[in-house]
Amino acid sequence: MKTPTAPRCRRFSATRQLSALVGATLALASTMAPAATDTPPRPWETTLELVAAHDITLLQASGSTERKLGGWDAALSLALNAITIDYQPVPFDFKGHAVTRRELGAALQAAGERPLGDIWTMLASAGGYLGHTNYRSVWLDEYYYQQYADFPAPPGSDIYTKAHPRGISTMLGARWAYHPGSGFAQLTVSRLRDRVSPGYEVDFDGLHKTPEVLRTTALNLDLENILTPWARSLVRLRAALTTEREWRLGAEGRLNLALDDAWTARLHVGYTEEAPRFRATFGGLELERTLSRRLALFAGGKLYSDTGEIENALLFTSSAPPLHTWQFGGGVRWTRDGWSGRLTLGLIRTRYGATNSDTDFFQNLYRDRHWLIGQLALTRSF
Amino acid sequence: MPNASTSPDRAPTSRRLSRPIRLAGVSFVLLLAAGCTLVPVYDQARVSRPGMTFSSSLVETPQFNLLPQIEPGTAVSGGAKGAGCTACR
């Protein structure tokens, strides 16, 4: 059972993590400072993103830079993440208590493209991250901690252990410009290894936890075409296989239309499925009005629906029930003196299907919420 | 234990989703087929302006990195984070 000092310990740990992340950021920034030598233009992009509901706050700050390295077009990106949840157990959870929990994380990725003539381009990337990758992982880890930290451990059973999520990834691929300048196909193969915050369940033999190390193989195929002088399309197909899961298949189509010299329409639709029952569909439309060479306004909306996630629990399941969301928002994009920026603000409403007796302990995780979303992106070309 | 094959919401959900799935499929085929056309570079001014490209820059192409946490079916990359809830049972 948690002691009163545990939250302070975790906050102290988070402070240390934050210090390390800031140090790493400063070190990285120093390595990415513009060189004194005469080099081609190198864009530098910084993004701040916020997604917040009344009990959950997600924050991400990221930066990336691109430069020529030999025959490679190289890119380096760093992202810092903060997840804060106000954990609230259901009233009949007699072992649970409310607590605010904050988790920090960081991700670093290096990517490169090397042209092989006018038609082919070789692609490669490698990266890694530390920390929880989503708020549900944090919420469930707190739930498992409060339920099972003091659980008896007979021989052959597992015990609750503090999670330290982290992962690495590598990618190799190629781009084929079958219509140079107007059409290309890109195929990539990724291998990922994640150490996740595991799930726990109890049976007659005691506590058991799900695998902590997950390996994923993912294939991505992108097809981008300029269809007409006023239409550009992107079709993205994805297949991914993760440890103890079935193939997760996804497709997404995007179509950008220049309606005239001032108006732009952006449509997208997508679909994802995974056996035995997960299916998700989503789509949206955004309209943009160019006011001048330096200023544009945009607004749009999006709908999302899924069938609920895969679960194979013995008694209780922590998997999400069916979910429906709608989103709308808008913003401004501007260009001035070598700087380009984009500010987006919006709202999302999430509505879950009713929980049943198997998921009652997670009513507060899968509750309907209104989310505020915001993103500020700035690009500087030296 | 709930069973996927006996879940009461499965059949109606499948029926509700079948139409957008077919529409998405038809859209993909049309987009792929349309890629056979060739638009010369001198005629690409409109499709190359800001907001019309599929750049990786978030200034050019709107994309929220954090939204797949809320809408798990929209994740297009990543290992565990793109595979749904890994802590769920």
Side-chain angles (χ1 to χ4, degrees):
Chain A
M1 191 67 188
K2 185 180 345 187
T3 65
T5 59
R8 283 199 297 273
C9 293
R10 265 179 280 167
R11 279 198 294 272
F12 177 64
S13 174
T15 305
R16 291 178 58 186
Q17 289 181 48
L18 180 60
S19 302
L21 292 178
V22 170
T25 307
L26 294 175
L28 185 67
S30 66
T31 64
M32 294 193 296
T37 56
D38 186 19
T39 56
R42 302 177 298 269
W44 164 257
E45 183 164 296
T46 303
T47 306
L48 186 64
E49 189 171 324
L50 172 72
V51 175
H54 71 283
D55 59 343
I56 298 171
T57 302
L58 314 174
L59 186 64
Q60 183 183 78
S62 62
S64 64
T65 186
E66 299 175 357
R67 63 172 58 189
K68 290 275 188 185
L69 288 176
W72 289 82
D73 296 323
L76 187 65
S77 61
L78 173 71
L80 305 178
N81 298 287
I83 300 173
T84 306
I85 63 167
D86 292 330
Y87 177 87
Q88 182 72 43
V90 289
F92 48 84
D93 180 359
F94 300 112
K95 292 190 71 177
H97 59 88
V99 64
T100 296
R101 181 164 164 178
R102 178 175 294 120
E103 293 287 339
L104 303 176
L108 181 66
Q109 185 177 48
E113 299 183 7
R114 184 181 180 90
L116 304 173
D118 296 330
I119 305 297
W120 289 93
T121 302
M122 183 168 66
L123 312 170
S125 74
Y129 70 88
L130 293 171
H132 289 265
T133 56
N134 60 70
Y135 74 87
R136 278 196 301 173
S137 171
V138 179
W139 200 101
L140 289 169
D141 184 57
E142 183 63 33
Y143 170 80
Y144 294 134
Y145 171 75
Q146 295 191 9
Q147 297 295 316
Y148 302 130
D150 60 350
F151 205 76
S157 68
D158 295 320
I159 60 171
Y160 171 87
T161 51
K162 181 172 172 57
H164 297 284
R166 56 189 182 274
I168 56 173
S169 65
T170 57
M171 180 275 285
L172 280 175
R175 182 185 303 131
W176 171 40
Y178 51 84
H179 287 325
S182 66
F184 74 79
Q186 176 175 303
L187 178 67
T188 62
V189 181
S190 304
R191 291 280 292 170
L192 306 98
R193 182 184 186 279
D194 298 280
R195 179 172 288 275
V196 301
S197 173
Y200 293 83
E201 61 185 345
V202 179
D203 62 15
F204 295 112
D205 298 323
L207 188 67
H208 295 284
K209 62 181 174 182
T210 59
E212 290 180 272
V213 176
L214 303 179
R215 290 178 170 81
T216 300
T217 300
L219 304 172
N220 277 69
L221 175 64
D222 289 359
L223 300 163
E224 181 175 337
N225 289 288
I226 295 177
L227 308 177
T228 72
W230 44 269
R232 182 189 291 267
S233 70
L234 174 66
V235 175
R236 177 167 289 161
L237 307 175
R238 178 176 190 253
L241 183 63
T242 299
T243 305
E244 292 198 337
R245 302 285 285 269
E246 301 293 330
W247 279 96
R248 193 175 183 93
L249 306 174
E252 189 173 357
R254 293 181 175 270
L255 183 63
N256 290 353
L257 302 171
L259 304 178
D260 59 21
D261 288 337
W263 285 94
T264 299
R266 293 186 283 269
L267 302 100
H268 75 275
V269 295
Y271 174 73
T272 301
E273 72 168 29
E274 181 180 331
R277 58 165 282 185
F278 179 76
R279 293 183 183 86
T281 54
F282 51 94
L285 168 66
E286 191 170 73
L287 292 174
E288 181 171 300
R289 165 75 173 172
T290 301
L291 300 178
S292 70
R293 292 181 59 188
R294 293 181 170 180
L295 193 64
L297 300 176
F298 57 89
K302 175 185 167 189
L303 296 173
Y304 170 91
S305 178
D306 72 35
T307 58
E309 295 191 318
I310 300 93
E311 59 84 16
N312 50 1
L314 293 175
L315 293 173
F316 299 103
T317 174
S318 50
S319 295
L323 170 67
H324 306 279
T325 78
W326 58 262
Q327 167 189 339
F328 73 91
V332 59
R333 182 164 45 77
W334 70 92
T335 302
R336 185 180 178 86
D337 300 332
W339 286 90
S340 296
R342 180 186 177 95
L343 175 65
T344 308
L345 294 173
L347 291 171
I348 301 180
R349 175 179 164 80
T350 54
R351 187 167 59 87
Y352 283 99
T355 58
N356 55 35
S357 58
D358 298 317
T359 54
D360 273 347
F361 278 91
F362 310 100
Q363 290 174 2
N364 290 333
L365 173 59
Y366 300 122
R367 65 165 55 159
D368 298 345
R369 290 184 174 91
H370 289 89
W371 302 80
L372 171 69
I373 58 174
Q375 185 185 68
L376 174 65
L378 295 172
T379 292
R380 172 69 170 170
S381 297
F382 294 104
Chain B
M1 180 179 78
N3 186 315
S5 62
T6 60
S7 176
D9 61 316
R10 184 181 184 191
T13 302
S14 299
R15 281 198 294 274
R16 191 174 66 248
L17 293 176
S18 62
R19 188 174 182 183
I21 291 168
R22 284 199 299 271
L23 287 174
V26 171
S27 302
F28 288 149
V29 172
L30 291 176
L31 290 172
L32 288 170
C36 298
T37 61
L38 179 60
V39 177
V41 173
Y42 62 81
D43 213 7
Q44 295 181 11
R46 279 189 173 180
V47 292
S48 300
R49 72 189 189 197
M52 278 294 293
T53 62
F54 297 110
S55 163
S56 60
S57 166
L58 293 177
V59 175
E60 294 288 333
T61 304
Q63 178 179 325
F64 278 85
N65 296 324
L66 297 173
L67 283 195
Q69 293 191 40
I70 300 174
E71 300 169 338
T74 61
V76 295
S77 62
K81 65 180 178 182
C85 182
T86 55
C88 295
R89 289 302 294 168

